[in-house]
Amino acid sequence: AQSVTQLDSQVPVFEEAPVELRCNYSSSVSVYLFWYVQYPNQGLQLLLKYLSGSTLVESINGFEAEFNKSQTSFHLRKPSVHISDTAEYFCAVSLSGAGSYQLTFGKGTKLSVIP
Amino acid sequence: KAGVTQTPRYLIKTRGQQVTLSCSPISGHRSVSWYQQTPGQGLQFLFEYFSETQRNKGNFPGRFSGRQFSNSRSEMNVSTLELGDSALYLCASSLGVGTITEAFFGQGTRLTVV
């Protein structure tokens, strides 16, 4: 079975400062990796995904994540955060080639951007 | 293109009652998955339906059940509600075939059991 660990439950950061949200996974087979964001009283929105190919993936709003197979990590980074980035972020995996869309999520990291 | 629609958005039920939640996926999507989100346990997979068949099931008691209709709409039912069933229930819609791309989530149904 696969599992996801998000090492920080809460991350406060000042506006315009860089941030890294950490995610490690455990799986005996190949996985796909995702970052989702959740704003208060909302569902989840996909931020970015790694399926194959380049290990560095980027989102349209300045976030990026790098897949590191040897360290089984998929950390999320942003060089300069904005107030609007305040939200909860979830790292998730699904088994590649399993024919199922089941996602296994980490516990989430609450990012608070301080003005 | 309309997104994933979950109804109702909010629900209050009494312990022992049953409840049915509804999810309409994105048009053309054939896979619907359900997740339970609580502060203590986080996001947990309930089940996945594809073409009216349950394709995968999480580790939940038999009180939790679901089904999918021929138009891909899905319902989940929880019988004999317990206080611990209070949660945000999220539905996710996916194409269901071919290379996995992403799951699109609805806004959820907030269930409160009193």
Side-chain angles (χ1 to χ4, degrees):
Chain A
Q2 62 276 19
S3 66
V4 178
T5 301
Q6 291 184 245
L7 296 163
D8 305 297
S9 60
Q10 296 188 61
V11 172
V13 62
F14 285 103
E15 193 175 12
E16 297 184 5
V19 69
E20 179 179 78
L21 307 183
R22 296 178 291 171
C23 171
N24 288 89
Y25 70 92
S26 173
S27 176
S28 57
V29 297
S30 297
V31 297
Y32 298 132
L33 294 152
F34 305 85
W35 275 100
Y36 281 87
V37 59
Q38 186 177 38
Y39 298 99
N41 297 315
Q42 298 292 318
L44 300 173
Q45 299 174 30
L46 180 70
L47 198 55
L48 43 76
K49 61 191 178 191
Y50 172 78
L51 304 180
S52 65
S54 173
T55 57
L56 183 65
V57 290
E58 299 176 353
S59 73
I60 58 173
N61 55 355
F63 283 95
E64 65 177 31
E66 186 159 20
F67 169 55
N68 187 317
K69 189 174 182 179
S70 62
Q71 296 185 7
T72 60
S73 68
F74 191 54
H75 300 332
L76 181 69
R77 294 187 290 262
K78 189 171 186 181
S80 175
V81 296
H82 303 287
I83 294 291
S84 59
D85 294 323
T86 295
E88 190 159 17
Y89 293 79
F90 293 91
C91 181
V93 302
S94 67
L95 298 182
S96 64
S100 168
Y101 283 65
Q102 177 182 347
L103 292 165
T104 299
F105 287 91
K107 294 286 191 185
T109 298
K110 289 185 179 176
L111 173 64
S112 300
V113 180
I114 305 163
Chain B
K1 197 174 191 180
V4 180
T5 303
Q6 290 189 247
T7 56
R9 286 291 312 277
Y10 301 92
L11 209 47
I12 300 175
K13 288 288 188 178
T14 303
R15 197 169 42 179
Q17 287 186 312
Q18 73 155 13
V19 67
T20 299
L21 312 181
S22 178
C23 172
S24 293
I26 292 170
S27 177
H29 285 193
R30 293 164 59 188
S31 169
V32 173
S33 299
W34 289 88
Y35 294 84
Q36 181 196 64
Q37 184 177 24
T38 59
Q41 299 299 316
L43 282 151
Q44 293 186 289
F45 172 77
L46 281 156
F47 24 66
E48 178 195 359
Y49 285 88
F50 175 76
S51 291
E52 301 179 67
T53 301
Q54 189 179 85
R55 185 153 72 175
N56 214 348
K57 189 177 191 304
N59 189 25
F60 277 83
R63 300 186 296 108
F64 291 81
S65 63
R67 60 177 175 168
Q68 187 180 34
F69 302 95
S70 58
N71 62 358
S72 293
R73 190 177 71 85
S74 176
E75 289 181 346
M76 69 162 280
N77 184 276
V78 188
S79 62
T80 319
L81 284 165
E82 300 177 0
L83 296 178
D85 297 332
S86 295
L88 181 66
Y89 290 88
L90 292 165
C91 164
S93 159
S94 306
L95 279 171
V97 292
T99 302
I100 289 176
T101 53
E102 66 182 280
F104 296 84
F105 283 81
Q107 292 197 307
T109 294
R110 172 79 60 187
L111 172 65
T112 302
V113 183
V114 298

